[in-house]
Structure formats: C-alpha cells, structure tokens
Amino acid sequence: MPDGIVLATHSQPIVASDFLDSFVTPFPADVGHADNKHEDEMERITMPRCVRCPDPSYNDLARRNKINGASVLEVLISPAGVAQQIRPVRLLGYGLDEQAYDVIKTWRFKAVTLKADGTPVPAIVMIEVTFRLY
C-alpha cells in the first residue's frame, strides 16, 4: 500500500510432502522420454508395460463433489520396473492428484528394454489416471 497501511493479513502453513516436492525436482538429464522417441529410437527400445497397477481410490471430497476426470503424471521407470520419480503434469484437484501419485508409487512395470539385447534401461513415460464415478 502506498500509505503503508496493512488492511489484513493471513497466514496459511504449507506442509512439505513428496507430492509437492515432485513439482520442482528435475528428472535426470540423461534419461529420455520413452513415448517421445524418434522413429529410429522406437525401433531400438520396447515400451514399458504396467504389470501391477491397482486403481487409486476416491476421497470423500471428490466423491461429494462428483468429480470425474484424469490426472496426468510423468513417471521415471527404473530398469527394475519401479516408479522411481513422479511429476504431476495435468492436475484434476480435490486431492485426486495426490491419490494418483501415491498409487503409482506402488505400481510395478515391465521396464523399457533395448531390443538388441534386452537390457533394461530407465525411461520417462506419461501416465494418465482416470477417475470416474459410476
């Protein structure tokens, strides 16, 4: 304010979490996106496949507001087939993005491999988690 008058103040604590940290944690520079490879690279690698992928659960807030939609996350899949790092890309809100984040941490994948010799390699993929009330 020009006169130095404070009209109101508000304080809201923000609790740090893995989910919030994921927005600012960069992916390793030497790991590429498996789904954005050029044609010649696509011929050299396999795409990852989810082998154990339980659905996330709805929370009460989202259910009460009848929220449907999708949360999109980038996921770094390790050579062991584990979601090593997750970054939200498109948010749905109502706590559902956190639900998607938490459940993807438990997923197991058949990792990206080199077609030439079957060597597992790390890769980043986009995953869309759909929330639908029936």
Side-chain angles (χ1 to χ4, degrees), residues 44-108:
R44 295 192 317 233
I45 63 168
T46 63
M47 289 298 291
R49 191 182 77 231
C50 198
V51 294
R52 191 176 72 75
C53 306
D55 291 331
S57 56
Y58 261 88
N59 59 42
D60 291 336
L61 177 63
R63 186 175 287 110
R64 205 172 32 250
N65 287 285
K66 300 178 183 170
I67 303 301
N68 291 291
S71 181
V72 179
L73 304 104
E74 283 183 306
V75 180
L76 170 59
I77 300 173
S78 74
V82 175
Q84 197 169 23
Q85 190 176 342
I86 305 167
R87 176 182 299 142
V89 175
R90 189 174 73 213
L91 303 174
L92 185 58
Y94 294 87
L96 294 176
D97 306 300
E98 291 89 337
Q99 297 288 115
Y101 180 91
D102 288 341
V103 78
I104 288 174
K105 289 192 297 187
T106 70
W107 288 8
R108 295 299 173 257

